[in-house]
Amino acid sequence: MSVWAIIVAAGVGERAGGGVPKQYHDIGGQPVLRKTVLAFLNHPEIAGVRVVFNPRHDDLYQKAVGDLNLPAPVRGGKSRQESAYLGLQALEDNPPGFVLIHDAARAFVSQDVISRVIETLKRTRKGCLPALPIPDTIKRREGSAVAETVDREPLILAQTPQGFKFEDILKAHEAAIGKGLTDDAAVAENAGFEVVMVKGDKANIKLTVKEDFIIHVTDVRTGTGFDVHAFEDGDQVILCGVKIAHDQKLKGHSDADVGLHAITDALLGAIGEGDIGDHFPPTDDKWKGAASDIFLKHAIKLVTDKGGRVSSIDLTLICEAPKIGPHREAMRKSIAAITGVEVARISVKATTTEQLGFTGRGEGIAAQALATVIFNE
Ligand code: CTP
Ligand code: MG
């Protein structure tokens, strides 16, 4: 027996605000509704998806999912219950064996949750909903005063998609009209159908208020950096702010800390801020012999000023000598101290080039870095 999905998307999203209904807000570069619909279209056991919408939002609807392989959307009603019922009626001509009803506003639904509901629905032929225990202490209030603490053990948080035998839930909806029920499990319970639980998912939240979008939409950006400095006569090199005794030094306008330069460029790259030379021109005598932590601190400030946070830094030093291994931890700590990023998010690696090329001949040191920066929108 086939499984269809009904996505109820006819609400106005009053609590979320923002000019257009929340199912058309952008989330990580795509409309909420598109992300939700794709989760079901991409699921191998879903035979088809029917969206219930408000025709007043047709332009938004077309922009969001007009290019996807969907049957015409169904006109919704004044309540969620009415919208779900209209969606079910639209499937009546060619009824599926099972149906999953899902909130458009739950865009983070995982393939696993969908699979769990389908598996249990097919096995038990009972109504099925994803549920979670309640993490907070629950109180009953009287006005603005706390009346008592409620035992939360028997309480659950109900999510969607909720799955049913199509005929059962269609009949149950007929009996629920006007009762103000807020999910389809309540409709099934009202009709005396048994509903069982499967494990829900904390990420499967119903985007409801503006803050839900702030917490969940993260903008992750990455940048790469690469730098080379040649050796010249000397007695130590400075790598990642760590002084290492060596029979040569690195040649450069500043202190030639090739590791910090690569990291600085990676951070600038992640935020589209050019490169180290744009910010600290080598023609400017001011930077002669400068300690390179100045450059890195500047890049961190630019990231922070733009509202970003460094999530990770990964650096590879490429040379035959000096040996990096004994200094790796000191380098990670030094980068952490300069950037304010915790050591666990900083990686320093090293490789030789098997005596090939300029690094292999010991003519200099190369460094490449990758930085990940996170923005909350
Ligand atoms: N929904 C619907 N038809 C309605 C009301 C709600 O299809 N008449 C849908 C919403 O689009 C949403 C889901 O039901 O995907 C859950 O409802 P809710 O989170 O309450 O969304 P809204 O009603 O749009 O939001 P609000 O209550 O803040 O106005
Ligand atoms: Mg509502």
Side-chain angles (χ1 to χ4, degrees):
M1 289 212 287
S2 67
V3 186
W4 271 67
I6 291 173
I7 312 284
V8 284
V12 292
E14 197 182 324
R15 284 167 290 178
V20 298
K22 61 188 180 184
Q23 59 272 35
Y24 301 111
H25 287 200
D26 184 280
I27 199 154
Q30 62 183 329
V32 168
L33 177 63
R34 184 180 184 87
K35 191 166 161 56
T36 307
V37 165
L38 283 173
F40 286 86
L41 279 182
N42 290 337
H43 195 285
E45 287 179 82
I46 297 289
V49 176
R50 204 77 200 248
V51 178
V52 182
F53 83 142
N54 183 333
R56 284 212 324 264
H57 309 141
D58 191 51
D59 282 356
L60 292 164
Y61 175 89
Q62 293 303 338
K63 242 182 32 210
V65 294
D67 61 320
L68 300 179
N69 182 22
L70 290 171
V74 183
R75 176 192 292 264
K78 278 195 279 299
S79 66
R80 185 195 180 285
Q81 195 251 316
E82 202 183 331
S83 293
Y85 187 27
L86 288 163
L88 289 165
Q89 286 173 319
L91 297 183
E92 241 185 317
D93 283 347
N94 197 1
F98 300 104
V99 65
L100 264 46
I101 305 176
H102 185 70
D103 295 327
R106 291 185 195 268
F108 299 102
V109 60
S110 67
Q111 299 290 293
D112 282 351
V113 167
I114 299 173
S115 297
R116 282 203 283 277
V117 172
I118 293 175
E119 189 276 321
T120 302
L121 172 61
K122 284 187 168 174
R123 185 168 41 80
T124 64
R125 304 193 154 237
K126 292 173 179 163
C128 179
L129 64 74
L132 284 179
I134 297 172
D136 299 322
T137 300
I138 301 293
K139 308 276 186 191
R140 197 175 58 74
R141 69 177 173 88
E142 269 161 23
S144 58
V146 172
E148 64 167 345
T149 301
V150 176
D151 177 14
R152 70 185 170 195
E153 204 283 321
L155 303 178
I156 54 159
L157 293 170
Q159 302 187 328
T160 73
Q162 299 180 351
F164 307 91
K165 272 165 67 190
F166 180 79
E167 298 299 340
D168 285 356
I169 195 68
L170 181 68
K171 227 185 295 160
H173 264 279
E174 277 160 24
I177 294 169
K179 291 206 167 170
L181 303 175
T182 52
D183 73 355
D184 304 284
V187 169
E189 294 151 30
N190 176 66
F193 292 117
E194 215 177 322
V195 180
V196 295
M197 304 185 302
V198 296
K199 194 159 95 48
D201 179 1
K202 212 166 164 99
N204 185 24
I205 64 152
K206 182 159 71 73
L207 294 162
T208 302
V209 293
K210 196 161 155 259
E211 289 72 23
D212 292 333
F213 289 81
I214 294 166
I215 295 164
H216 287 273
V217 181
T218 45
D219 175 4
V220 180
R221 305 185 199 173
T222 52
T224 64
F226 180 73
D227 195 28
V228 172
H229 281 274
F231 282 124
E232 63 181 10
D233 287 346
D235 56 11
Q236 71 168 14
V237 295
I238 301 175
L239 291 174
C240 304
V242 176
K243 292 182 176 138
I244 301 170
H246 192 51
D247 55 5
Q248 287 178 301
K249 72 190 262 283
L250 288 171
K251 183 176 163 186
H253 187 67
S254 64
D255 65 0
D257 191 327
V258 66
L260 294 191
H261 294 180
I263 295 170
T264 302
D265 262 357
L267 289 168
L268 295 173
I271 56 172
E273 278 287 345
D275 64 25
I276 195 167
D278 295 333
H279 295 266
F280 305 97
T283 49
D284 190 338
D285 270 351
K286 208 162 53 178
W287 312 119
K288 201 163 165 47
S292 296
D293 60 340
I294 300 173
F295 310 147
L296 183 51
K297 280 191 173 132
H298 177 72
I300 290 286
K301 183 172 182 322
L302 291 177
V303 168
T304 312
D305 287 351
K306 286 182 177 236
R309 178 172 65 80
V310 177
S311 170
S312 69
I313 292 169
D314 185 18
L315 175 73
T316 305
L317 294 165
I318 305 158
C319 58
E320 302 292 324
K323 283 267 163 286
I324 302 300
H327 306 286
R328 260 166 69 161
E329 289 314 306
M331 290 181 186
R332 291 174 73 206
K333 281 190 191 137
S334 166
I335 297 165
I338 298 165
T339 57
V341 175
E342 59 179 333
V343 175
R345 294 174 181 272
I346 296 168
S347 142
V348 174
K349 313 198 296 301
T351 184
T352 70
T353 49
E354 301 287 342
Q355 289 160 26
L356 298 170
F358 71 86
T359 51
R361 291 188 298 271
E363 294 168 8
I365 300 181
Q368 62 182 31
L370 184 82
T372 309
V373 177
I374 289 179
F375 293 80
N376 284 327
E377 285 182 338

